[in-house]
Amino acid sequence: DAGVIQSPRHEVTEMGQEVTLRCKPISGHDYLFWYRQTMMRGLELLIYFNNNVPIDDSGMPEDRFSAKMPNASFSTLKIQPSEPRDSAVYFCASSARTGGITGELFFGEGSRLTVL
Amino acid sequence: AQRVTQPEKLLSVFKGAPVELKCNYSYSGSPELFWYVQYSRQRLQLLLRHISRESIKGFTADLNKGETSFHLKKPFAQEEDSAMYYCALTRGSTLGRLYFGRGTQLTVWP
């Protein structure tokens, strides 16, 4: 397995534009997480899904952010309209609960977003 | 509410010196604690978890419930240990939803 795959790796856009980040979790994992990493705030959980259903979206900054998981192998994080303060590295991670032990998170390489 | 605090943003030691990365948490229940590491240009990855009581790459971490701490220690640091280290907590009921500290950037000088 190639691990969690994210695209694009880098995105530079102008304020006001729509940004879509994509994630393919590890096959068989039933949890998917979107995190945002900034120097000021570190790693923040935005939203997570279990079996494609959003469980907790309390970390989504505002209505400009939305996330979907139409099937077990694909998720998107959309920002519309984007603002300079959205500039960050966005990580997708997946996990599976195994044998009653809390699952390890497997992270993608991240999508570095710059909003000018 | 749960919170993970890593008081040091930056930590520098010389090769061969002991290193301790501090992590304190606040949670009223029984948490599970983890250390994740991000080496330069690599993915964030699990280093160790307290329930396994394991030593990985010479690192150990002991959960001290009295002091609500989970400090990461290594007796002799190596240059390849230079990385960003994140302490993380999960509540057993939330199945992998991790709360991360802000991270400590460790630099090991030759």
Side-chain angles (χ1 to χ4, degrees), chain B residues 76-88:
Chain B
F76 306 103
Q78 303 299 315
E79 291 178 68
E80 56 265 30
D81 297 328
S82 296
M84 188 71 161
Y85 291 81
Y86 291 93
C87 183

Side-chain angles (χ1 to χ4, degrees), chain A residues 4 31 35 37 97 102 105, chain B residues 32 36 43 86 95 98:
Chain A
V4 176
Y31 286 86
Y35 281 89
Q37 183 185 46
R97 186 174 176 97
T102 306
L105 258 63
Chain B
E32 294 183 32
Y36 277 75
R43 303 176 187 225
Y86 291 93
L95 304 176
L98 289 177

Side-chain angles (χ1 to χ4, degrees), chain A residues 2-4 31 33 35 37 39-43 45 48 56 58 91 95 97 101-105 107-109, chain B residues 9 32 34 36 38 41 43-46 49 51 84 86 90-102:
Chain A
V4 176
Y31 286 86
F33 304 80
Y35 281 89
Q37 183 185 46
M39 289 291 291
M40 292 297 294
R41 302 170 72 95
L43 273 167
L45 178 67
Y48 80 98
D56 183 353
S58 59
F91 287 101
S95 74
R97 186 174 176 97
I101 297 174
T102 306
E104 170 185 352
L105 258 63
F107 282 81
E109 294 182 289
Chain B
K9 290 187 67 174
E32 294 183 32
F34 304 79
Y36 277 75
Q38 189 174 25
R41 300 181 184 180
R43 303 176 187 225
L44 188 63
Q45 58 187 285
L46 178 67
R49 67 188 88 190
I51 57 174
M84 188 71 161
Y86 291 93
T90 186
R91 304 176 303 193
S93 63
T94 52
L95 304 176
R97 188 223 192 276
L98 289 177
Y99 298 86
F100 284 89
R102 293 194 179 187

Side-chain angles (χ1 to χ4, degrees), chain A residues 2 46 52 55 76 78 81 92 97 99-100:
Chain A
L46 300 177
N52 313 337
I55 302 300
T76 60
K78 185 175 293 187
C92 177
R97 186 174 176 97

Side-chain angles (χ1 to χ4, degrees), chain A:
Chain A
D1 199 320
V4 176
I5 299 173
Q6 292 187 244
S7 64
R9 293 290 312 281
H10 301 275
E11 175 90 6
V12 180
T13 190
E14 293 187 344
M15 183 174 63
Q17 296 297 306
E18 178 179 292
V19 173
T20 299
L21 307 178
R22 298 172 178 81
C23 175
K24 182 181 187 308
I26 293 173
S27 177
H29 282 189
D30 53 351
Y31 286 86
L32 184 139
F33 304 80
W34 281 101
Y35 281 89
R36 178 171 67 176
Q37 183 185 46
T38 61
M39 289 291 291
M40 292 297 294
R41 302 170 72 95
L43 273 167
E44 303 173 276
L45 178 67
L46 300 177
I47 184 171
Y48 80 98
F49 297 82
N50 176 218
N51 292 323
N52 313 337
V53 176
I55 302 300
D56 183 353
D57 65 353
S58 59
M60 296 286 262
E62 47 199 274
D63 292 344
R64 296 184 298 106
F65 286 69
S66 63
K68 295 181 180 180
M69 192 165 185
N71 57 62
S73 59
F74 184 66
S75 177
T76 60
L77 178 67
K78 185 175 293 187
I79 308 172
Q80 167 63 18
S82 58
E83 297 183 3
R85 60 190 168 127
D86 302 330
S87 297
V89 180
Y90 291 81
F91 287 101
C92 177
S94 69
S95 74
R97 186 174 176 97
T98 306
I101 297 174
T102 306
E104 170 185 352
L105 258 63
F106 292 84
F107 282 81
E109 294 182 289
S111 294
R112 182 176 295 276
L113 173 65
T114 302
V115 183
L116 303 174

